[in-house]
């Protein structure tokens, strides 16, 4: 039994909710080819493989923040365009594997981190200057981010072959 299976209360709620929305996102790519996952069936230019890649990268960076603050989060450069696309040589299976690795790391951290620990946010035009986020707030943000992109992914998948995660 892993430490995440022994959680109770708030940590359980946060983890179960994050896992549920990750599951919705992963369901949207089930059975797709690499070509389908890289396709851009809407005017947005988003692709399903790119969304998996983006959500994994975002979760990874926010957990770096949760552990070590903005400085730790900023150690890895962000490819603002490429994070939403499947690069040549990338496969859907590889992107899903990375997504699952990041998820497992996050799940373990949820079991150990102080949810009230806070760090100043990185300097960016979309953050309030001088604001701090707790680990709890980071997890709530990850749930919202994953949920939002699962909705985007559902639209993309339906545009590709009519499949839907719900309904």
């Amino acid at each position: 039994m892993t430490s995440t299976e022994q959680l109770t209360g708030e940590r359980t709620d946060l983890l179960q909710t994050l896992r549920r929305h990750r599951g919705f996102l992963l369901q949207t790519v089930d059975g797709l080819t690499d070509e389908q996952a890289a396709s851009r069936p809407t005017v947005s230019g988003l692709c399903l493989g790119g969304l998996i890649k983006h959500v994994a990268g975002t979760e990874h960076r926010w957990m770096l923040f949760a552990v070590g603050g903005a400085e730790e989060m900023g150690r890895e450069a962000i490819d603002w365009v490429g994070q939403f696309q499947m690069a040549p040589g990338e496969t859907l299976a590889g992107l899903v594997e990375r997504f699952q690795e990041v998820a497992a790391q996050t799940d373990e951290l949820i079991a150990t981190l102080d949810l009230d620990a806070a760090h100043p946010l990185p300097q960016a035009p979309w953050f309030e200057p001088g604001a701090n986020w707790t680990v709890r707030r980071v997890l709530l943000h990850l749930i919202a981010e994953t949920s939002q992109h699962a909705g985007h992914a559902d639209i993309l998948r339906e545009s590709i072959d009519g499949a839907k995660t719900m309904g």
Side-chain angles (χ1 to χ4, degrees):
M1 183 179 293
T2 67
S3 60
T4 57
E5 293 171 331
Q6 299 171 17
L7 298 179
T8 59
E10 181 182 17
R11 290 176 196 271
T12 299
D13 291 344
L14 291 167
L15 182 58
Q16 287 177 352
T17 303
L18 183 56
R19 284 179 174 171
R20 179 176 176 89
H21 291 285
R22 285 182 192 138
F24 288 142
L25 180 58
L26 287 176
Q27 186 177 346
T28 64
V29 299
D30 188 44
L32 291 180
T33 65
D34 290 339
E35 182 179 83
Q36 288 172 313
S39 71
R40 296 182 179 107
T42 68
V43 296
S44 73
L46 292 175
C47 71
L48 287 166
L51 284 175
I52 297 291
K53 181 179 177 179
H54 166 72
V55 172
T58 298
E59 184 169 320
H60 171 73
R61 285 187 300 278
W62 276 109
M63 293 315 295
L64 289 174
F65 174 86
V67 171
E71 183 178 320
E72 189 64 28
M73 183 188 212
R75 290 183 195 264
E76 296 183 11
I78 299 173
D79 179 354
W80 292 102
V81 175
Q83 70 176 328
F84 288 100
Q85 301 170 355
M86 285 180 67
E90 287 183 325
T91 64
L92 180 58
L95 294 173
V96 167
E97 181 179 347
R98 174 66 179 146
F99 180 93
Q100 292 170 330
E101 289 170 358
V102 168
Q105 292 166 359
T106 298
D107 291 357
E108 289 299 321
L109 285 171
I110 290 171
T112 62
L113 291 176
D114 176 1
L115 298 178
D116 292 320
H119 303 287
L121 289 171
Q123 291 184 355
W126 47 85
F127 292 132
E128 178 186 342
N132 294 305
W133 275 15
T134 63
V135 171
R136 178 182 295 101
R137 176 88 181 261
V138 168
L139 295 174
L140 292 170
H141 177 71
L142 289 177
I143 290 166
E145 177 91 8
T146 304
S147 177
Q148 178 181 19
H149 289 309
H152 295 147
D154 199 36
I155 292 167
L156 294 174
R157 178 63 188 257
E158 189 172 1
S159 298
I160 291 169
D161 65 4
K164 297 184 267 185
T165 56
M166 299 173 82

